């Protein structure tokens, strides 16, 4: 879901990593739903991608299912 929103806004992974102030490697793991972002990164991600509460809920649920 994060990847789709990023693509919709025409951001590259490199651009998102820069906007979030994290490494490309760290962002790729977030983009591929392989890592849960820290709270401060999640807040910036929500702002940059204009995520709705519903989308945030789905994203968090997806992450918890992948890491459980």
């Amino acid at each position: 879901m994060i990847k789709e929103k990023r693509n919709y806004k025409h951001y590259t992974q490199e651009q998102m990593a820069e906007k979030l102030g994290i490494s490309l490697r760290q962002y790729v793991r977030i983009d591929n739903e392989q890592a849960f972002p820290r709270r401060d990164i999640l807040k910036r991600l929500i702002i940059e991608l204009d995520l709705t509460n519903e989308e945030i809920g789905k994203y968090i649920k997806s992450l918890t299912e992948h890491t459980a």
Side-chain angles (χ1 to χ4, degrees):
M1 193 260 317
I2 295 297
K3 187 182 294 187
E4 289 82 13
K5 290 288 280 196
R6 175 181 57 78
N7 286 330
Y8 177 77
K9 290 195 157 251
H10 304 287
Y11 292 146
T12 65
Q13 289 179 325
E14 292 85 0
Q15 290 170 321
M16 281 303 300
E18 187 174 319
K19 287 177 181 293
L20 299 175
I22 60 177
S23 71
L24 175 59
R25 183 173 184 225
Q26 187 178 0
Y27 181 75
V28 168
R29 290 178 47 82
I30 292 169
D31 208 37
N32 291 327
E33 299 182 6
Q34 296 172 336
F36 195 85
R38 295 187 325 248
R39 184 175 296 164
D40 60 320
I41 302 300
L42 182 59
K43 286 180 183 179
R44 285 187 260 163
L45 193 62
I46 290 166
I47 292 166
E48 288 295 335
L49 296 179
D50 299 319
L51 298 174
T52 66
N53 287 337
E54 183 180 348
E55 290 169 329
I56 296 163
K58 286 180 183 178
Y59 175 66
I60 292 171
K61 182 178 179 185
S62 172
L63 282 176
T64 55
E65 289 172 353
H66 285 143
T67 57

